[in-house]
Structure formats: C-alpha cells, structure tokens
Amino acid sequence: MSGCMSGFGGMPQAELSEGLKQLKSEHPPLLEQLEKLYTLTQNIDQELNVEEDFIELIEQVKAFKAALDPHSEREEGVLFQMIGTYIGTTSGPIAVMEYEHDQAKTNIGSFLTNAEVTEASTEEKKRLAELIQNAYFILTEHFSKEENVLFPMAERMLTDEEKAELYKKIQEIK
C-alpha cells in the first residue's frame, strides 16, 4: 500500500479492472446527455425558442436524472465506501467527490422542483436553466477527476478480491 497517494502525481494510467471499467464506460453516455442539456440551456438563455426548449429541457433533465441516479449509487454506495476504508471519507478525495455529487443533485432537484410548479416568466426560465448549467459544469469536471485520479487510485489501492467484490456489487444496482 505504500505510495498509494502518489497517484495524484504523474503515475502512468493502469488498466482498469472490470468494475472500474464499467463505471468509466457509463460517463460518455451521461456526458452526451449533459451536452444536449447544456445546448438547451444556451438556447433558453438566447431566447431562441424559450417555451419549447424549456419543456424539452424538463423532459431531458428527467431522463438524465434517471440515468445518473444508478450511476451515482454505484459510486457512492460501493466504490467510495471501498476506497474510504483506506483513505477515509470525511476529507480528501472521497469527501470532494461526494460533495460534487450532492451539488449536482441539488441543482438538478431544484430545477425539477421549480420548473413544473408554476407558469414561469422567460427570466425565471433562464434562472432555472442556470441550475442545469451549474450541474453541467460540476459533472463534466467531476467525471474527469474520477477518470484521471480516482479510478486509477482505486485500481492501485484495491485488492483483487475487492475489485471482484466491486464488480459484483455494482451489477446489483440497476
């Protein structure tokens, strides 16, 4: 276990085990959805077709959340806990990752809660769309940190048995 934290420096990328590979493979489709959300928020911001774009944004955010939630659960409920036994969860990388998950979920949840409640003005729709832009910026950076720091660190840190357990447990989360 010596040198595990040195992974924050310039150690070469390790080949990821099956569980970590699966978590990483879930990022591109989520990023693709995020790009579409961001484009809609930009359109709303530019007042191109606010009513239709806002309705579409609500539907797309719901679909994105449905895809993001199980992914987050696989990370928070399994991976972060396993890494946390080595490096702790109250500060450091795991605390940062969980905080970013919380921030993104809060933005998305706040958007969904407020977007469908009342007939909103164009300005209100723009303000609500900013919540999704915030989630976009948080999550695009977050995925990059996971892929470049957290997943390689987990690959070096976890035992072969733990990697097998990680894969088994994340398969159970649908």
Side-chain angles (χ1 to χ4, degrees):
M1 291 310 330
S2 69
C4 285
M5 295 307 286
S6 67
F8 282 86
M11 287 184 71
Q13 294 284 347
E15 175 71 24
L16 297 178
S17 57
E18 286 304 307
L20 293 168
K21 206 178 289 182
Q22 177 183 328
L23 292 173
K24 183 176 179 179
S25 75
E26 293 171 5
H27 287 173
L30 290 169
L31 284 167
E32 192 175 309
Q33 284 183 287
L34 274 171
E35 291 297 334
K36 289 176 184 168
L37 295 178
Y38 188 73
T39 298
L40 285 168
T41 66
Q42 293 293 95
N43 291 348
I44 291 165
D45 213 32
Q46 295 165 18
E47 299 184 25
L48 298 177
N49 207 348
V50 176
E51 293 305 315
E52 291 82 3
D53 286 337
F54 196 76
I55 290 166
E56 179 69 15
L57 182 61
I58 293 170
E59 294 310 309
Q60 293 295 324
V61 168
K62 287 178 182 176
F64 176 72
K65 185 178 182 310
L68 180 67
D69 285 349
H71 173 75
S72 294
E73 180 55 34
R74 286 188 274 277
E75 290 181 346
E76 293 171 17
V78 184
L79 177 63
F80 293 179
Q81 298 307 310
M82 292 177 91
I83 297 173
T85 62
Y86 290 100
I87 63 171
T89 57
T90 56
S91 65
I94 300 302
V96 170
M97 295 289 120
E98 288 183 334
Y99 175 76
E100 290 173 353
H101 276 201
D102 290 345
Q103 290 299 107
K105 288 177 189 175
T106 298
N107 279 285
I108 291 166
S110 186
F111 171 82
L112 289 173
T113 299
N114 294 299
E116 295 185 290
V117 175
T118 59
E119 191 58 39
S121 67
T122 296
E123 286 310 307
E124 179 67 6
K125 287 178 174 143
K126 288 165 91 172
R127 191 186 65 72
L128 288 169
E130 277 183 37
L131 294 168
I132 300 307
Q133 288 181 359
N134 293 342
Y136 168 86
F137 291 121
I138 291 165
L139 289 172
T140 53
E141 186 176 316
H142 175 82
F143 291 163
S144 177
K145 287 181 195 171
E146 286 179 339
E147 292 175 16
N148 294 304
V149 178
L150 195 70
F151 294 167
M153 181 172 70
E155 187 61 40
R156 290 187 297 275
M157 202 175 277
L158 300 175
T159 66
D160 289 344
E161 294 77 22
E162 288 168 324
K163 290 173 189 173
E165 180 185 349
L166 170 70
Y167 183 70
K168 180 180 173 287
K169 284 185 174 180
I170 66 172
Q171 297 309 305
E172 296 166 3
I173 299 170
K174 300 293 175 207

